[in-house]
Amino acid sequence: EPPSRRAAATTSPLYRVRGVSSSSRCAAGGIQEGSAASYRMFMTRITRCLDRMWKARLTAAGLPFSRPALRFTTTTRVNSPCGRWPAKAAGFYCSTNRTIYIGVLRDALNNPYPINHAQFMAHEYGHHVQKLMGVMDYYGRSVWNARLSTKLAFSRRLELQADCLGSAFLRQVSADLSVEQADWDSIIEWVTANGHKNWVRNDHGKGRSQAYWMQRGFKVGSPSACNTWTASARAVS
């Protein structure tokens, strides 16, 4: 039986799965600036690549796999089973109906850089992986009726793990997405300086913490690098 409750987060068998996945190829193509159709197609293809890689990883760990639903929307006026659209978010994952919501919005369409959108989608998919691991259920029980400081601490561990899982995927498909070291270094530099600015309550971690876990995932290329639940408080600050 896979671990449950706290063990689902701290001792998941997924952390023992290493190496390059045999399903890590990803012919996602590019994005045409200003084209909603191009953006939707790219994000759909990235999701299919994520399906293949995480199915292989979760199966190897003895954990169940199911695909998340993917919903595109041209407005943030969406009421999901998880509530309203998070402020300043380009999209979000709802664990209740296992759906990734992606906004086809002006800011996204004016940014034609595939690596940025691939990282974003991989992060949201990382939350789905957490649902399949049992992490989401542990998180939900832990923050229920907890004080604000506890909720924020758990939220940071959850979000930083999704950063790491997303970056591990990006490393796996870096050749197909033409991710050069200079591109990655630029992303890390930007995240370090700006990654926390949309989250005023520090529920996603400081920019340097986000960069740290993204670097871990990208360097190793597997979920073995992504156990934020046993990391020190400073590492998830």
Side-chain angles (χ1 to χ4, degrees), residues 104-164:
V104 185
L105 307 171
R106 181 180 300 173
D107 286 347
L109 299 183
N110 289 339
N111 177 3
Y113 300 104
I115 183 175
N116 295 340
H117 298 293
Q119 175 70 26
F120 163 58
M121 178 61 85
H123 171 97
E124 298 306 328
Y125 202 107
H127 287 313
H128 180 63
V129 173
Q130 290 171 320
K131 175 64 176 178
L132 299 176
M133 292 168 65
V135 168
M136 279 289 186
D137 293 337
Y138 166 63
Y139 167 80
R141 285 192 296 268
S142 299
V143 301
W144 183 257
N145 286 333
R147 59 185 181 181
L148 179 59
S149 60
T150 299
K151 290 181 178 180
L152 293 176
F154 271 84
S155 178
R156 288 193 295 271
R157 291 186 188 273
L158 188 80
E159 295 295 339
L160 292 169
Q161 183 173 53
D163 283 337
C164 184

Short mmCIF file of all heavy atoms in Angstrom, two decimals, residues 104-164:
data_model
loop_
_atom_site.label_atom_id
_atom_site.label_comp_id
_atom_site.label_asym_id
_atom_site.label_seq_id
_atom_site.Cartn_x
_atom_site.Cartn_y
_atom_site.Cartn_z
N VAL A 104 -6.40 31.89 -21.08
CA VAL A 104 -5.93 32.35 -22.40
C VAL A 104 -6.10 33.87 -22.38
O VAL A 104 -7.06 34.42 -22.92
CB VAL A 104 -6.73 31.69 -23.54
CG1 VAL A 104 -6.14 32.08 -24.89
CG2 VAL A 104 -6.72 30.17 -23.38
N LEU A 105 -5.14 34.52 -21.75
CA LEU A 105 -5.25 35.93 -21.43
C LEU A 105 -4.17 36.73 -22.14
O LEU A 105 -3.20 36.19 -22.67
CB LEU A 105 -5.14 36.11 -19.92
CG LEU A 105 -6.11 35.25 -19.08
CD1 LEU A 105 -5.77 35.34 -17.61
CD2 LEU A 105 -7.54 35.65 -19.35
N ARG A 106 -4.33 38.05 -22.14
CA ARG A 106 -3.45 38.93 -22.90
C ARG A 106 -1.98 38.75 -22.52
O ARG A 106 -1.11 38.65 -23.38
CB ARG A 106 -3.87 40.38 -22.71
CG ARG A 106 -3.01 41.38 -23.50
CD ARG A 106 -3.48 42.80 -23.27
NE ARG A 106 -4.87 42.97 -23.70
CZ ARG A 106 -5.57 44.09 -23.50
NH1 ARG A 106 -5.02 45.10 -22.85
NH2 ARG A 106 -6.81 44.19 -23.93
N ASP A 107 -1.70 38.70 -21.22
CA ASP A 107 -0.31 38.58 -20.79
C ASP A 107 0.34 37.31 -21.33
O ASP A 107 1.50 37.32 -21.75
CB ASP A 107 -0.22 38.59 -19.26
CG ASP A 107 -0.47 39.96 -18.67
OD1 ASP A 107 -0.46 40.94 -19.44
OD2 ASP A 107 -0.67 40.05 -17.45
N ALA A 108 -0.40 36.23 -21.32
CA ALA A 108 0.14 34.96 -21.84
C ALA A 108 0.37 35.04 -23.35
O ALA A 108 1.40 34.60 -23.86
CB ALA A 108 -0.81 33.82 -21.50
N LEU A 109 -0.59 35.61 -24.07
CA LEU A 109 -0.49 35.65 -25.53
C LEU A 109 0.61 36.61 -26.00
O LEU A 109 1.14 36.44 -27.11
CB LEU A 109 -1.83 36.07 -26.13
CG LEU A 109 -3.01 35.14 -25.83
CD1 LEU A 109 -4.26 35.62 -26.54
CD2 LEU A 109 -2.70 33.71 -26.22
N ASN A 110 0.96 37.57 -25.17
CA ASN A 110 2.04 38.50 -25.53
C ASN A 110 3.42 37.98 -25.15
O ASN A 110 4.42 38.65 -25.37
CB ASN A 110 1.80 39.86 -24.86
CG ASN A 110 0.64 40.60 -25.48
OD1 ASN A 110 0.24 40.33 -26.61
ND2 ASN A 110 0.07 41.55 -24.75
N ASN A 111 3.47 36.78 -24.57
CA ASN A 111 4.73 36.16 -24.17
C ASN A 111 4.91 34.86 -24.94
O ASN A 111 4.43 33.81 -24.51
CB ASN A 111 4.70 35.90 -22.66
CG ASN A 111 5.96 35.19 -22.17
OD1 ASN A 111 6.88 34.93 -22.94
ND2 ASN A 111 5.98 34.86 -20.90
N PRO A 112 5.58 34.89 -26.10
CA PRO A 112 5.66 33.71 -26.96
C PRO A 112 6.80 32.75 -26.62
O PRO A 112 7.17 31.91 -27.44
CB PRO A 112 5.87 34.32 -28.34
CG PRO A 112 6.71 35.53 -28.06
CD PRO A 112 6.23 36.06 -26.73
N TYR A 113 7.38 32.85 -25.42
CA TYR A 113 8.55 32.04 -25.08
C TYR A 113 8.11 30.69 -24.50
O TYR A 113 7.60 30.63 -23.38
CB TYR A 113 9.44 32.79 -24.09
CG TYR A 113 9.92 34.10 -24.67
CD1 TYR A 113 9.36 35.30 -24.25
CD2 TYR A 113 10.91 34.13 -25.66
CE1 TYR A 113 9.78 36.52 -24.80
CE2 TYR A 113 11.33 35.33 -26.21
CZ TYR A 113 10.77 36.51 -25.77
OH TYR A 113 11.18 37.71 -26.32
N PRO A 114 8.30 29.61 -25.24
CA PRO A 114 7.78 28.30 -24.83
C PRO A 114 8.25 27.85 -23.45
O PRO A 114 7.48 27.26 -22.68
CB PRO A 114 8.29 27.36 -25.93
CG PRO A 114 8.46 28.23 -27.12
CD PRO A 114 8.93 29.56 -26.57
N ILE A 115 9.51 28.11 -23.10
CA ILE A 115 10.05 27.61 -21.85
C ILE A 115 9.27 28.17 -20.65
O ILE A 115 9.03 27.47 -19.67
CB ILE A 115 11.56 27.94 -21.73
CG1 ILE A 115 12.13 27.35 -20.43
CG2 ILE A 115 11.81 29.42 -21.80
CD1 ILE A 115 13.62 27.53 -20.30
N ASN A 116 8.86 29.43 -20.73
CA ASN A 116 8.11 30.04 -19.63
C ASN A 116 6.77 29.34 -19.41
O ASN A 116 6.37 29.05 -18.28
CB ASN A 116 7.89 31.52 -19.89
CG ASN A 116 9.18 32.32 -19.91
OD1 ASN A 116 10.20 31.88 -19.39
ND2 ASN A 116 9.15 33.49 -20.53
N HIS A 117 6.08 29.08 -20.49
CA HIS A 117 4.76 28.46 -20.40
C HIS A 117 4.87 26.97 -20.05
O HIS A 117 4.01 26.44 -19.34
CB HIS A 117 4.00 28.66 -21.70
CG HIS A 117 3.75 30.11 -22.02
ND1 HIS A 117 2.92 30.90 -21.25
CD2 HIS A 117 4.25 30.92 -22.99
CE1 HIS A 117 2.90 32.13 -21.75
NE2 HIS A 117 3.71 32.17 -22.80
N ALA A 118 5.92 26.33 -20.54
CA ALA A 118 6.13 24.92 -20.19
C ALA A 118 6.39 24.78 -18.69
O ALA A 118 5.87 23.86 -18.03
CB ALA A 118 7.30 24.35 -20.98
N GLN A 119 7.18 25.68 -18.12
CA GLN A 119 7.46 25.65 -16.69
C GLN A 119 6.17 25.89 -15.88
O GLN A 119 5.91 25.22 -14.88
CB GLN A 119 8.50 26.71 -16.33
CG GLN A 119 8.78 26.85 -14.83
CD GLN A 119 9.51 25.67 -14.24
OE1 GLN A 119 10.22 24.98 -14.95
NE2 GLN A 119 9.33 25.43 -12.96
N PHE A 120 5.37 26.84 -16.33
CA PHE A 120 4.11 27.14 -15.64
C PHE A 120 3.18 25.93 -15.67
O PHE A 120 2.62 25.52 -14.63
CB PHE A 120 3.46 28.35 -16.29
CG PHE A 120 2.01 28.53 -15.97
CD1 PHE A 120 1.58 28.67 -14.65
CD2 PHE A 120 1.05 28.56 -16.97
CE1 PHE A 120 0.24 28.83 -14.35
CE2 PHE A 120 -0.29 28.72 -16.67
CZ PHE A 120 -0.69 28.85 -15.36
N MET A 121 3.01 25.33 -16.84
CA MET A 121 2.14 24.16 -16.94
C MET A 121 2.67 23.00 -16.11
O MET A 121 1.91 22.29 -15.42
CB MET A 121 1.98 23.73 -18.40
CG MET A 121 1.13 22.48 -18.58
SD MET A 121 -0.58 22.68 -17.99
CE MET A 121 -1.34 23.42 -19.45
N ALA A 122 3.99 22.81 -16.13
CA ALA A 122 4.58 21.71 -15.37
C ALA A 122 4.39 21.91 -13.86
O ALA A 122 4.24 20.94 -13.12
CB ALA A 122 6.06 21.59 -15.71
N HIS A 123 4.40 23.17 -13.41
CA HIS A 123 4.14 23.46 -12.00
C HIS A 123 2.72 23.08 -11.63
O HIS A 123 2.49 22.40 -10.61
CB HIS A 123 4.36 24.96 -11.72
CG HIS A 123 3.92 25.37 -10.35
ND1 HIS A 123 4.79 25.49 -9.29
CD2 HIS A 123 2.68 25.71 -9.86
CE1 HIS A 123 4.12 25.86 -8.21
NE2 HIS A 123 2.83 26.01 -8.53
N GLU A 124 1.75 23.48 -12.44
CA GLU A 124 0.35 23.14 -12.14
C GLU A 124 0.14 21.63 -12.20
O GLU A 124 -0.59 21.06 -11.39
CB GLU A 124 -0.59 23.87 -13.09
CG GLU A 124 -0.53 25.39 -13.00
CD GLU A 124 -0.74 25.92 -11.59
OE1 GLU A 124 -1.49 25.28 -10.81
OE2 GLU A 124 -0.14 26.95 -11.24
N TYR A 125 0.80 20.98 -13.14
CA TYR A 125 0.70 19.53 -13.23
C TYR A 125 1.35 18.89 -12.00
O TYR A 125 0.91 17.83 -11.53
CB TYR A 125 1.37 19.02 -14.51
CG TYR A 125 0.90 17.65 -14.96
CD1 TYR A 125 0.07 17.53 -16.07
CD2 TYR A 125 1.28 16.49 -14.30
CE1 TYR A 125 -0.36 16.28 -16.50
CE2 TYR A 125 0.84 15.24 -14.71
CZ TYR A 125 0.03 15.14 -15.81
OH TYR A 125 -0.41 13.90 -16.23
N GLY A 126 2.39 19.55 -11.47
CA GLY A 126 3.01 19.07 -10.25
C GLY A 126 2.02 18.96 -9.10
O GLY A 126 2.10 18.05 -8.27
N HIS A 127 1.04 19.87 -9.05
CA HIS A 127 0.00 19.78 -8.03
C HIS A 127 -0.87 18.53 -8.25
O HIS A 127 -1.33 17.91 -7.28
CB HIS A 127 -0.87 21.03 -8.04
CG HIS A 127 -0.19 22.23 -7.48
ND1 HIS A 127 0.52 22.22 -6.30
CD2 HIS A 127 -0.11 23.52 -7.95
CE1 HIS A 127 0.99 23.42 -6.05
NE2 HIS A 127 0.63 24.23 -7.03
N HIS A 128 -1.09 18.17 -9.50
CA HIS A 128 -1.84 16.95 -9.78
C HIS A 128 -1.05 15.73 -9.31
O HIS A 128 -1.61 14.78 -8.74
CB HIS A 128 -2.16 16.85 -11.26
CG HIS A 128 -2.93 15.61 -11.63
ND1 HIS A 128 -4.20 15.36 -11.15
CD2 HIS A 128 -2.60 14.54 -12.42
CE1 HIS A 128 -4.63 14.19 -11.65
NE2 HIS A 128 -3.67 13.68 -12.40
N VAL A 129 0.25 15.75 -9.54
CA VAL A 129 1.11 14.67 -9.05
C VAL A 129 1.01 14.57 -7.52
O VAL A 129 0.92 13.47 -6.96
CB VAL A 129 2.57 14.88 -9.50
CG1 VAL A 129 3.50 13.85 -8.85
CG2 VAL A 129 2.69 14.81 -11.02
N GLN A 130 0.99 15.71 -6.86
CA GLN A 130 0.83 15.72 -5.40
C GLN A 130 -0.50 15.10 -4.98
O GLN A 130 -0.59 14.42 -3.96
CB GLN A 130 0.94 17.15 -4.87
CG GLN A 130 2.34 17.73 -4.97
CD GLN A 130 2.37 19.21 -4.65
OE1 GLN A 130 1.48 19.97 -5.05
NE2 GLN A 130 3.39 19.64 -3.93
N LYS A 131 -1.54 15.33 -5.76
CA LYS A 131 -2.83 14.72 -5.48
C LYS A 131 -2.72 13.20 -5.58
O LYS A 131 -3.22 12.45 -4.71
CB LYS A 131 -3.89 15.23 -6.46
CG LYS A 131 -5.25 14.57 -6.33
CD LYS A 131 -5.91 14.85 -4.99
CE LYS A 131 -7.31 14.26 -4.91
NZ LYS A 131 -7.95 14.48 -3.59
N LEU A 132 -2.04 12.71 -6.61
CA LEU A 132 -1.90 11.27 -6.81
C LEU A 132 -0.99 10.64 -5.75
O LEU A 132 -1.16 9.47 -5.39
CB LEU A 132 -1.35 10.99 -8.21
CG LEU A 132 -2.23 11.49 -9.37
CD1 LEU A 132 -1.54 11.24 -10.70
CD2 LEU A 132 -3.60 10.82 -9.34
N MET A 133 -0.03 11.40 -5.25
CA MET A 133 0.87 10.92 -4.19
C MET A 133 0.17 10.82 -2.84
O MET A 133 0.63 10.10 -1.95
CB MET A 133 2.05 11.88 -4.04
CG MET A 133 3.00 11.93 -5.19
SD MET A 133 4.15 13.34 -5.03
CE MET A 133 5.09 12.91 -3.55
N GLY A 134 -0.92 11.57 -2.66
CA GLY A 134 -1.56 11.67 -1.37
C GLY A 134 -1.16 12.91 -0.60
O GLY A 134 -1.63 13.16 0.51
N VAL A 135 -0.28 13.73 -1.20
CA VAL A 135 0.21 14.93 -0.54
C VAL A 135 -0.91 15.96 -0.37
O VAL A 135 -1.00 16.62 0.68
CB VAL A 135 1.39 15.54 -1.34
CG1 VAL A 135 1.72 16.94 -0.84
CG2 VAL A 135 2.61 14.65 -1.24
N MET A 136 -1.74 16.11 -1.38
CA MET A 136 -2.81 17.09 -1.30
C MET A 136 -3.77 16.79 -0.14
O MET A 136 -4.23 17.69 0.56
CB MET A 136 -3.59 17.15 -2.61
CG MET A 136 -2.95 17.99 -3.69
SD MET A 136 -3.07 19.75 -3.29
CE MET A 136 -2.41 20.47 -4.79
N ASP A 137 -4.07 15.51 0.07
CA ASP A 137 -4.98 15.15 1.15
C ASP A 137 -4.33 15.44 2.50
O ASP A 137 -4.98 15.92 3.43
CB ASP A 137 -5.36 13.68 1.03
CG ASP A 137 -6.20 13.40 -0.21
OD1 ASP A 137 -6.84 14.34 -0.71
OD2 ASP A 137 -6.22 12.25 -0.66
N TYR A 138 -3.04 15.13 2.61
CA TYR A 138 -2.31 15.43 3.85
C TYR A 138 -2.29 16.94 4.10
O TYR A 138 -2.53 17.39 5.23
CB TYR A 138 -0.89 14.89 3.75
CG TYR A 138 0.06 15.42 4.80
CD1 TYR A 138 -0.15 15.16 6.15
CD2 TYR A 138 1.17 16.17 4.43
CE1 TYR A 138 0.72 15.65 7.12
CE2 TYR A 138 2.05 16.66 5.40
CZ TYR A 138 1.82 16.39 6.73
OH TYR A 138 2.68 16.89 7.69
N TYR A 139 -2.04 17.71 3.06
CA TYR A 139 -2.02 19.16 3.17
C TYR A 139 -3.37 19.69 3.64
O TYR A 139 -3.46 20.51 4.55
CB TYR A 139 -1.64 19.77 1.82
CG TYR A 139 -1.89 21.26 1.72
CD1 TYR A 139 -0.99 22.16 2.27
CD2 TYR A 139 -3.01 21.75 1.06
CE1 TYR A 139 -1.22 23.53 2.18
CE2 TYR A 139 -3.24 23.12 0.97
CZ TYR A 139 -2.34 24.00 1.53
OH TYR A 139 -2.56 25.36 1.45
N GLY A 140 -4.44 19.20 3.01
CA GLY A 140 -5.78 19.67 3.36
C GLY A 140 -6.13 19.40 4.82
O GLY A 140 -6.69 20.26 5.50
N ARG A 141 -5.80 18.21 5.32
CA ARG A 141 -6.08 17.88 6.72
C ARG A 141 -5.24 18.73 7.66
O ARG A 141 -5.68 19.11 8.75
CB ARG A 141 -5.81 16.40 6.96
CG ARG A 141 -6.86 15.46 6.40
CD ARG A 141 -6.68 14.06 6.94
NE ARG A 141 -5.40 13.49 6.51
CZ ARG A 141 -5.24 12.75 5.42
NH1 ARG A 141 -6.29 12.50 4.65
NH2 ARG A 141 -4.07 12.26 5.09
N SER A 142 -4.01 19.03 7.24
CA SER A 142 -3.08 19.75 8.11
C SER A 142 -3.45 21.21 8.29
O SER A 142 -3.19 21.79 9.35
CB SER A 142 -1.65 19.64 7.56
OG SER A 142 -1.23 18.30 7.50
N VAL A 143 -4.01 21.82 7.27
CA VAL A 143 -4.31 23.26 7.36
C VAL A 143 -5.75 23.53 7.78
O VAL A 143 -6.11 24.69 8.00
CB VAL A 143 -4.01 23.97 6.02
CG1 VAL A 143 -2.55 23.80 5.63
CG2 VAL A 143 -4.92 23.48 4.89
N TRP A 144 -6.56 22.48 7.88
CA TRP A 144 -7.95 22.67 8.26
C TRP A 144 -8.03 23.25 9.68
O TRP A 144 -7.55 22.68 10.64
CB TRP A 144 -8.70 21.35 8.21
CG TRP A 144 -10.16 21.47 8.52
CD1 TRP A 144 -10.79 21.13 9.69
CD2 TRP A 144 -11.18 21.94 7.65
NE1 TRP A 144 -12.13 21.37 9.59
CE2 TRP A 144 -12.41 21.87 8.35
CE3 TRP A 144 -11.18 22.42 6.34
CZ2 TRP A 144 -13.62 22.26 7.80
CZ3 TRP A 144 -12.39 22.81 5.78
CH2 TRP A 144 -13.59 22.73 6.50
N ASN A 145 -8.59 24.42 9.79
CA ASN A 145 -8.74 25.12 11.07
C ASN A 145 -7.40 25.47 11.73
O ASN A 145 -7.38 25.76 12.94
CB ASN A 145 -9.58 24.30 12.05
CG ASN A 145 -11.06 24.31 11.69
OD1 ASN A 145 -11.55 25.26 11.06
ND2 ASN A 145 -11.78 23.27 12.07
N ALA A 146 -6.30 25.45 10.99
CA ALA A 146 -5.00 25.82 11.55
C ALA A 146 -4.85 27.33 11.57
O ALA A 146 -5.53 28.05 10.84
CB ALA A 146 -3.88 25.20 10.73
N ARG A 147 -3.94 27.83 12.38
CA ARG A 147 -3.69 29.26 12.41
C ARG A 147 -2.95 29.67 11.15
O ARG A 147 -2.36 28.84 10.46
CB ARG A 147 -2.90 29.65 13.65
CG ARG A 147 -1.54 28.97 13.77
CD ARG A 147 -0.91 29.35 15.10
NE ARG A 147 0.41 28.74 15.24
CZ ARG A 147 1.17 28.90 16.33
NH1 ARG A 147 0.73 29.63 17.34
NH2 ARG A 147 2.35 28.32 16.39
N LEU A 148 -2.95 30.97 10.85
CA LEU A 148 -2.43 31.47 9.58
C LEU A 148 -0.97 31.08 9.36
O LEU A 148 -0.59 30.68 8.26
CB LEU A 148 -2.58 32.99 9.50
CG LEU A 148 -2.05 33.65 8.22
CD1 LEU A 148 -2.77 33.10 6.99
CD2 LEU A 148 -2.21 35.17 8.30
N SER A 149 -0.13 31.20 10.38
CA SER A 149 1.29 30.89 10.20
C SER A 149 1.50 29.44 9.79
O SER A 149 2.37 29.13 8.96
CB SER A 149 2.06 31.19 11.49
OG SER A 149 1.58 30.41 12.57
N THR A 150 0.68 28.53 10.32
CA THR A 150 0.77 27.12 9.96
C THR A 150 0.32 26.91 8.52
O THR A 150 0.94 26.16 7.76
CB THR A 150 -0.07 26.26 10.91
OG1 THR A 150 0.41 26.42 12.24
CG2 THR A 150 -0.02 24.78 10.51
N LYS A 151 -0.77 27.56 8.15
CA LYS A 151 -1.27 27.45 6.78
C LYS A 151 -0.23 27.92 5.77
O LYS A 151 0.00 27.28 4.73
CB LYS A 151 -2.56 28.25 6.61
CG LYS A 151 -3.76 27.67 7.34
CD LYS A 151 -5.00 28.51 7.11
CE LYS A 151 -6.22 27.92 7.79
NZ LYS A 151 -7.43 28.72 7.58
N LEU A 152 0.43 29.04 6.06
CA LEU A 152 1.43 29.58 5.15
C LEU A 152 2.63 28.66 5.05
O LEU A 152 3.19 28.46 3.97
CB LEU A 152 1.85 30.98 5.60
CG LEU A 152 0.78 32.07 5.50
CD1 LEU A 152 1.31 33.38 6.07
CD2 LEU A 152 0.32 32.25 4.06
N ALA A 153 3.05 28.09 6.17
CA ALA A 153 4.21 27.19 6.16
C ALA A 153 3.93 25.96 5.32
O ALA A 153 4.78 25.51 4.54
CB ALA A 153 4.57 26.81 7.59
N PHE A 154 2.74 25.38 5.47
CA PHE A 154 2.38 24.21 4.68
C PHE A 154 2.22 24.58 3.21
O PHE A 154 2.60 23.81 2.32
CB PHE A 154 1.10 23.58 5.22
CG PHE A 154 1.33 22.55 6.29
CD1 PHE A 154 1.49 22.93 7.61
CD2 PHE A 154 1.41 21.21 5.97
CE1 PHE A 154 1.73 21.99 8.60
CE2 PHE A 154 1.64 20.25 6.94
CZ PHE A 154 1.80 20.64 8.27
N SER A 155 1.64 25.74 2.94
CA SER A 155 1.46 26.18 1.56
C SER A 155 2.81 26.34 0.86
O SER A 155 2.95 25.97 -0.32
CB SER A 155 0.70 27.51 1.52
OG SER A 155 0.55 27.96 0.20
N ARG A 156 3.79 26.87 1.55
CA ARG A 156 5.11 27.03 0.94
C ARG A 156 5.71 25.68 0.58
O ARG A 156 6.29 25.53 -0.50
CB ARG A 156 6.05 27.81 1.88
CG ARG A 156 5.69 29.28 1.99
CD ARG A 156 6.79 30.08 2.64
NE ARG A 156 7.02 29.71 4.04
CZ ARG A 156 6.38 30.28 5.06
NH1 ARG A 156 5.45 31.21 4.85
NH2 ARG A 156 6.68 29.92 6.31
N ARG A 157 5.60 24.71 1.45
CA ARG A 157 6.14 23.38 1.14
C ARG A 157 5.42 22.78 -0.07
O ARG A 157 6.05 22.13 -0.92
CB ARG A 157 6.02 22.46 2.35
CG ARG A 157 6.94 22.87 3.51
CD ARG A 157 6.92 21.86 4.65
NE ARG A 157 7.65 22.36 5.82
CZ ARG A 157 8.96 22.21 6.00
NH1 ARG A 157 9.69 21.56 5.10
NH2 ARG A 157 9.54 22.70 7.09
N LEU A 158 4.12 23.00 -0.14
CA LEU A 158 3.35 22.48 -1.27
C LEU A 158 3.76 23.14 -2.57
O LEU A 158 4.02 22.46 -3.58
CB LEU A 158 1.86 22.72 -1.01
CG LEU A 158 0.88 22.08 -1.99
CD1 LEU A 158 0.70 20.60 -1.66
CD2 LEU A 158 -0.48 22.79 -1.94
N GLU A 159 3.82 24.46 -2.59
CA GLU A 159 4.13 25.19 -3.82
C GLU A 159 5.58 25.00 -4.26
O GLU A 159 5.85 24.86 -5.46
CB GLU A 159 3.84 26.68 -3.62
CG GLU A 159 2.38 27.01 -3.40
CD GLU A 159 1.49 26.70 -4.59
OE1 GLU A 159 2.03 26.60 -5.72
OE2 GLU A 159 0.28 26.57 -4.42
N LEU A 160 6.50 24.97 -3.32
CA LEU A 160 7.91 24.79 -3.68
C LEU A 160 8.16 23.37 -4.20
O LEU A 160 9.00 23.17 -5.09
CB LEU A 160 8.80 25.09 -2.48
CG LEU A 160 8.82 26.57 -2.07
CD1 LEU A 160 9.51 26.74 -0.72
CD2 LEU A 160 9.50 27.44 -3.13
N GLN A 161 7.42 22.40 -3.70
CA GLN A 161 7.55 21.06 -4.26
C GLN A 161 7.04 21.04 -5.70
O GLN A 161 7.66 20.40 -6.57
CB GLN A 161 6.78 20.04 -3.43
CG GLN A 161 6.96 18.62 -3.97
CD GLN A 161 6.35 17.57 -3.09
OE1 GLN A 161 5.16 17.64 -2.73
NE2 GLN A 161 7.13 16.58 -2.71
N ALA A 162 5.94 21.74 -5.97
CA ALA A 162 5.45 21.80 -7.35
C ALA A 162 6.45 22.50 -8.26
O ALA A 162 6.61 22.13 -9.42
CB ALA A 162 4.10 22.52 -7.38
N ASP A 163 7.15 23.53 -7.75
CA ASP A 163 8.22 24.16 -8.52
C ASP A 163 9.29 23.14 -8.89
O ASP A 163 9.77 23.09 -10.03
CB ASP A 163 8.88 25.28 -7.70
CG ASP A 163 8.06 26.56 -7.64
OD1 ASP A 163 7.23 26.77 -8.54
OD2 ASP A 163 8.28 27.34 -6.70
N CYS A 164 9.67 22.33 -7.92
CA CYS A 164 10.72 21.34 -8.14
C CYS A 164 10.28 20.25 -9.12
O CYS A 164 11.01 19.88 -10.03
CB CYS A 164 11.12 20.73 -6.79
SG CYS A 164 12.50 19.56 -6.88
#
